[in-house]
Amino acid sequence: MQGPAGPPIQEILVEPVARRYFYFAEEDLVTEVNIPASQFVDDNGASQGMFFGTGINGFAHIFINGMLQEGRMYRVSQGALTLFLSEGDVIFAGTPIIVETVEYFVQFIQNQPT
């Protein structure tokens, strides 16, 4: 059974929040590698302990040397980035790796009673 109707909604706001995390490979990467979030810095250069925005309300993109990567090449969790490199793939020392997360927040604005 459906319950009573709630208050009328005047507006629904959907706000995306983008965050970027930066890392430079410390050595050549040639196999599956797990890079802890604590090795990344944010847009302000501050160290991060975790990647925010990796839950069900968001998604992540990975850029290696400025190029967007295929989803099969990585997994992002709150605590780490895992790269799945194929045989012959090399990420050279000093190459920038960027994790970008986008998380969505929803706000319902109700009509005010008159």
Side-chain angles (χ1 to χ4, degrees):
M1 244 164 76
Q2 183 174 349
I9 303 289
Q10 175 182 346
E11 192 173 358
I12 299 174
L13 298 176
V14 178
E15 179 183 4
V17 176
R19 298 176 182 95
R20 284 162 298 281
Y21 305 93
F22 302 88
Y23 171 80
F24 292 90
E26 296 174 354
E27 59 189 18
D28 290 355
L29 307 175
V30 294
T31 61
E32 181 175 317
V33 63
N34 194 44
I35 306 169
S38 60
Q39 293 189 15
F40 286 77
V41 297
D42 65 12
D43 280 330
N44 297 316
S47 293
Q48 297 299 298
M50 64 184 285
F51 296 121
F52 294 94
T54 59
I56 61 171
N57 294 332
F59 61 90
H61 286 142
I62 304 303
F63 297 85
I64 297 176
N65 205 24
M67 298 294 295
L68 180 62
Q69 301 300 303
E70 297 174 11
R72 66 178 176 80
M73 291 187 62
Y74 63 88
R75 180 179 62 238
V76 178
S77 66
Q78 283 188 335
L81 164 65
T82 303
L83 296 172
F84 305 107
L85 301 177
S86 299
E87 187 175 331
D89 288 345
V90 178
I91 298 174
F92 294 105
T95 299
I97 299 174
I98 302 167
V99 175
E100 177 186 56
T101 63
V102 178
E103 186 174 23
Y104 291 94
F105 295 92
V106 177
Q107 180 180 6
F108 297 98
I109 300 174
Q110 299 177 354
N111 287 331
Q112 297 300 320
T114 55

